[in-house]
Amino acid sequence: QVQLAESGGGLVQSGGSLRLSCVASGSILRINTMEWYRQAPGKERELVAEITRGGDTKYVDSVKGRFTISRDNAKKTGYLQMNSLKPEDTAVYLCNAEVGLHEDGTTWFGWGQGTQVTVSS
């Protein structure tokens, strides 16, 4: 059984930092790709950051220079480091990932449950 479990959300003051984690559990070999999305009240879901199979990263313009996506395949965990947080970053943050299951190339794709990030002014 493969699962993604998120943690690290909470309440932080403007200018503060948080690190979100997304742990992949089960009989997996590695995280192939990971994406972080956010959903704010009254707004459409937004792709915030992604990391590819080759390790390249991309960010939405509004978080460039402040957010960093990474992964640690020894720990089977992906991260989103968020610095210089602003009230407009307030949202539910969700991770999704493609993971490699076996040496034959079998993969699994799924979503975490979401974690609330609230930034006060």
Side-chain angles (χ1 to χ4, degrees):
Q1 189 176 76
V2 180
Q3 293 179 305
L4 299 177
E6 300 177 356
S7 62
L11 175 64
V12 65
Q13 291 183 330
S14 181
S17 298
L18 288 171
R19 188 179 73 163
L20 307 183
S21 299
C22 183
V23 179
S25 62
S27 298
I28 66 173
L29 298 177
R30 58 163 288 177
I31 297 172
N32 292 334
T33 66
M34 179 169 283
E35 297 178 328
W36 287 91
Y37 291 80
R38 65 186 180 188
Q39 181 82 58
K43 299 180 65 176
E44 295 183 352
R45 190 180 68 175
E46 179 182 41
L47 176 61
V48 177
E50 62 180 311
I51 185 166
T52 70
R53 296 191 181 198
D56 295 327
T57 58
K58 296 180 180 180
Y59 304 91
V60 68
D61 286 344
S62 61
V63 309
K64 286 182 178 177
R66 301 189 297 120
F67 289 13
T68 303
I69 187 172
S70 62
R71 65 185 168 205
D72 184 338
N73 276 311
K75 299 179 180 179
K76 305 297 189 293
T77 302
Y79 303 96
L80 185 68
Q81 177 68 46
M82 305 185 296
N83 299 326
S84 302
L85 283 162
K86 306 174 181 179
E88 48 263 49
D89 295 319
T90 296
V92 174
Y93 284 73
L94 306 103
C95 73
N96 73 337
E98 180 193 272
V99 302
L101 301 179
H102 305 290
E103 293 182 357
D104 63 3
T106 304
T107 61
W108 175 92
F109 179 87
W111 292 80
Q113 81 284 358
T115 185
Q116 176 71 46
V117 172
T118 302
V119 185
S120 62
S121 60

